[in-house]
Short mmCIF file of all heavy atoms in Angstrom, two decimals:
data_model
loop_
_atom_site.label_atom_id
_atom_site.label_comp_id
_atom_site.label_asym_id
_atom_site.label_seq_id
_atom_site.Cartn_x
_atom_site.Cartn_y
_atom_site.Cartn_z
N ALA S 13 41.95 36.94 38.87
CA ALA S 13 42.61 38.03 39.62
C ALA S 13 41.69 39.24 39.72
O ALA S 13 41.62 39.89 40.77
CB ALA S 13 43.92 38.39 38.93
N ALA S 14 41.00 39.54 38.64
CA ALA S 14 40.09 40.69 38.65
C ALA S 14 38.85 40.41 39.49
O ALA S 14 38.39 41.27 40.24
CB ALA S 14 39.69 41.05 37.21
N ILE S 15 38.33 39.21 39.37
CA ILE S 15 37.10 38.86 40.10
C ILE S 15 37.36 38.82 41.61
O ILE S 15 36.53 39.23 42.41
CB ILE S 15 36.54 37.50 39.60
CG1 ILE S 15 36.05 37.65 38.15
CG2 ILE S 15 35.42 36.99 40.50
CD1 ILE S 15 35.83 36.32 37.43
N GLU S 16 38.55 38.34 41.97
CA GLU S 16 38.83 38.15 43.39
C GLU S 16 39.58 39.33 44.02
O GLU S 16 39.90 39.30 45.21
CB GLU S 16 39.60 36.84 43.59
CG GLU S 16 38.70 35.63 43.33
CD GLU S 16 39.49 34.34 43.10
OE1 GLU S 16 40.71 34.33 43.38
OE2 GLU S 16 38.87 33.37 42.62
N TRP S 17 39.87 40.32 43.23
CA TRP S 17 40.56 41.51 43.74
C TRP S 17 39.76 42.15 44.88
O TRP S 17 38.60 42.46 44.74
CB TRP S 17 40.75 42.51 42.60
CG TRP S 17 41.26 43.85 43.03
CD1 TRP S 17 40.55 45.01 43.16
CD2 TRP S 17 42.61 44.18 43.38
NE1 TRP S 17 41.35 46.03 43.56
CE2 TRP S 17 42.63 45.55 43.71
CE3 TRP S 17 43.80 43.43 43.44
CZ2 TRP S 17 43.79 46.20 44.11
CZ3 TRP S 17 44.96 44.09 43.83
CH2 TRP S 17 44.95 45.45 44.17
N ARG S 18 40.42 42.29 46.04
CA ARG S 18 39.72 42.91 47.17
C ARG S 18 40.50 44.10 47.74
O ARG S 18 40.27 44.54 48.85
CB ARG S 18 39.46 41.88 48.29
CG ARG S 18 38.46 40.78 47.93
CD ARG S 18 37.07 41.35 47.66
NE ARG S 18 36.10 40.30 47.33
CZ ARG S 18 35.86 39.86 46.11
NH1 ARG S 18 36.51 40.38 45.07
NH2 ARG S 18 34.98 38.90 45.89
N GLY S 19 41.47 44.60 46.93
CA GLY S 19 42.23 45.77 47.37
C GLY S 19 41.47 47.06 47.11
O GLY S 19 40.25 47.10 47.22
N GLY S 20 42.21 48.09 46.72
CA GLY S 20 41.59 49.40 46.49
C GLY S 20 40.89 49.48 45.15
O GLY S 20 40.46 48.46 44.59
N HIS S 21 40.79 50.70 44.65
CA HIS S 21 40.13 50.93 43.37
C HIS S 21 40.89 50.20 42.25
O HIS S 21 42.10 50.03 42.33
CB HIS S 21 40.09 52.42 43.06
CG HIS S 21 39.51 53.23 44.18
ND1 HIS S 21 38.19 53.20 44.50
CD2 HIS S 21 40.10 54.07 45.06
CE1 HIS S 21 37.97 54.01 45.53
NE2 HIS S 21 39.12 54.55 45.89
N ALA S 22 40.16 49.78 41.24
CA ALA S 22 40.82 49.04 40.17
C ALA S 22 40.20 49.34 38.81
O ALA S 22 39.02 49.67 38.70
CB ALA S 22 40.75 47.54 40.44
N LEU S 23 41.06 49.27 37.81
CA LEU S 23 40.62 49.41 36.42
C LEU S 23 41.06 48.17 35.67
O LEU S 23 42.23 47.78 35.71
CB LEU S 23 41.26 50.63 35.77
CG LEU S 23 41.09 50.73 34.25
CD1 LEU S 23 39.66 51.08 33.87
CD2 LEU S 23 42.04 51.77 33.65
N VAL S 24 40.13 47.54 34.98
CA VAL S 24 40.49 46.45 34.08
C VAL S 24 40.52 47.02 32.68
O VAL S 24 39.51 47.47 32.15
CB VAL S 24 39.47 45.29 34.15
CG1 VAL S 24 39.83 44.23 33.11
CG2 VAL S 24 39.45 44.69 35.54
N MET S 25 41.73 47.05 32.09
CA MET S 25 41.91 47.54 30.73
C MET S 25 42.06 46.32 29.85
O MET S 25 43.04 45.58 29.98
CB MET S 25 43.21 48.33 30.66
CG MET S 25 43.05 49.80 30.91
SD MET S 25 42.50 50.58 29.41
CE MET S 25 44.07 51.05 28.73
N ALA S 26 41.11 46.09 28.98
CA ALA S 26 41.21 44.89 28.15
C ALA S 26 40.40 45.04 26.88
O ALA S 26 39.45 45.83 26.81
CB ALA S 26 40.73 43.69 28.95
N GLY S 27 40.75 44.27 25.89
CA GLY S 27 40.12 44.38 24.58
C GLY S 27 38.72 43.79 24.53
O GLY S 27 38.21 43.24 25.51
N ALA S 28 38.13 43.89 23.34
CA ALA S 28 36.76 43.43 23.15
C ALA S 28 36.65 41.92 23.39
O ALA S 28 37.53 41.16 23.00
CB ALA S 28 36.32 43.75 21.72
N GLY S 29 35.59 41.52 24.04
CA GLY S 29 35.28 40.10 24.19
C GLY S 29 36.18 39.33 25.12
O GLY S 29 36.16 38.10 25.16
N THR S 30 36.99 40.03 25.91
CA THR S 30 37.90 39.34 26.82
C THR S 30 37.24 39.03 28.16
O THR S 30 37.85 38.43 29.03
CB THR S 30 39.16 40.20 27.10
OG1 THR S 30 38.73 41.50 27.52
CG2 THR S 30 40.02 40.32 25.85
N GLY S 31 36.00 39.45 28.31
CA GLY S 31 35.26 39.12 29.53
C GLY S 31 35.23 40.23 30.57
O GLY S 31 35.14 39.95 31.77
N LYS S 32 35.31 41.46 30.13
CA LYS S 32 35.24 42.57 31.08
C LYS S 32 33.88 42.60 31.78
O LYS S 32 33.79 42.68 33.01
CB LYS S 32 35.48 43.92 30.36
CG LYS S 32 36.87 44.04 29.76
CD LYS S 32 37.09 45.42 29.16
CE LYS S 32 36.17 45.72 27.98
NZ LYS S 32 36.36 44.78 26.85
N THR S 33 32.83 42.52 30.98
CA THR S 33 31.50 42.52 31.57
C THR S 33 31.28 41.25 32.38
O THR S 33 30.70 41.26 33.47
CB THR S 33 30.43 42.67 30.46
OG1 THR S 33 30.73 43.83 29.69
CG2 THR S 33 29.03 42.81 31.06
N PHE S 34 31.77 40.14 31.86
CA PHE S 34 31.74 38.86 32.58
C PHE S 34 32.38 39.03 33.97
O PHE S 34 31.84 38.58 34.98
CB PHE S 34 32.50 37.82 31.74
CG PHE S 34 32.77 36.50 32.43
CD1 PHE S 34 31.78 35.55 32.53
CD2 PHE S 34 34.04 36.22 32.94
CE1 PHE S 34 32.03 34.32 33.15
CE2 PHE S 34 34.30 35.00 33.55
CZ PHE S 34 33.30 34.05 33.66
N THR S 35 33.52 39.72 34.00
CA THR S 35 34.22 39.96 35.27
C THR S 35 33.37 40.79 36.23
O THR S 35 33.28 40.48 37.42
CB THR S 35 35.55 40.70 34.98
OG1 THR S 35 36.37 39.84 34.19
CG2 THR S 35 36.26 41.06 36.25
N ILE S 36 32.72 41.81 35.70
CA ILE S 36 31.83 42.64 36.52
C ILE S 36 30.73 41.78 37.14
O ILE S 36 30.43 41.88 38.34
CB ILE S 36 31.23 43.80 35.68
CG1 ILE S 36 32.28 44.90 35.51
CG2 ILE S 36 29.96 44.35 36.32
CD1 ILE S 36 31.74 46.20 34.95
N ILE S 37 30.15 40.94 36.33
CA ILE S 37 29.03 40.09 36.80
C ILE S 37 29.53 39.08 37.85
O ILE S 37 28.93 38.93 38.93
CB ILE S 37 28.38 39.34 35.61
CG1 ILE S 37 27.84 40.33 34.57
CG2 ILE S 37 27.27 38.41 36.10
CD1 ILE S 37 26.88 41.37 35.10
N GLU S 38 30.65 38.43 37.55
CA GLU S 38 31.16 37.42 38.49
C GLU S 38 31.61 38.05 39.81
O GLU S 38 31.46 37.49 40.88
CB GLU S 38 32.31 36.64 37.85
CG GLU S 38 31.90 35.78 36.67
CD GLU S 38 30.71 34.88 36.99
OE1 GLU S 38 30.77 34.11 37.97
OE2 GLU S 38 29.69 34.96 36.26
N ARG S 39 32.21 39.22 39.71
CA ARG S 39 32.60 39.96 40.91
C ARG S 39 31.40 40.28 41.77
O ARG S 39 31.42 40.11 42.99
CB ARG S 39 33.22 41.30 40.49
CG ARG S 39 34.62 41.51 40.87
CD ARG S 39 35.01 42.93 40.57
NE ARG S 39 35.16 43.66 41.82
CZ ARG S 39 36.16 43.47 42.66
NH1 ARG S 39 37.09 42.59 42.40
NH2 ARG S 39 36.21 44.16 43.79
N THR S 40 30.37 40.77 41.11
CA THR S 40 29.16 41.14 41.83
C THR S 40 28.60 39.91 42.57
O THR S 40 28.28 39.98 43.76
CB THR S 40 28.10 41.69 40.83
OG1 THR S 40 28.68 42.79 40.15
CG2 THR S 40 26.84 42.12 41.55
N LYS S 41 28.55 38.79 41.85
CA LYS S 41 28.05 37.56 42.48
C LYS S 41 28.95 37.17 43.64
O LYS S 41 28.47 36.75 44.70
CB LYS S 41 28.01 36.42 41.46
CG LYS S 41 26.94 36.57 40.40
CD LYS S 41 26.99 35.34 39.48
CE LYS S 41 26.14 35.52 38.24
NZ LYS S 41 26.50 34.53 37.21
N GLY S 42 30.27 37.33 43.44
CA GLY S 42 31.23 36.97 44.48
C GLY S 42 31.06 37.82 45.73
O GLY S 42 31.05 37.30 46.85
#
Side-chain angles (χ1 to χ4, degrees):
Chain S
I15 293 164
E16 289 163 13
W17 171 256
R18 292 297 181 270
H21 307 289
L23 169 72
V24 176
M25 268 278 267
T30 52
K32 296 184 296 299
T33 306
F34 171 78
T35 297
I36 282 192
I37 301 305
E38 293 309 306
R39 241 188 109 72
T40 302
K41 290 182 190 163

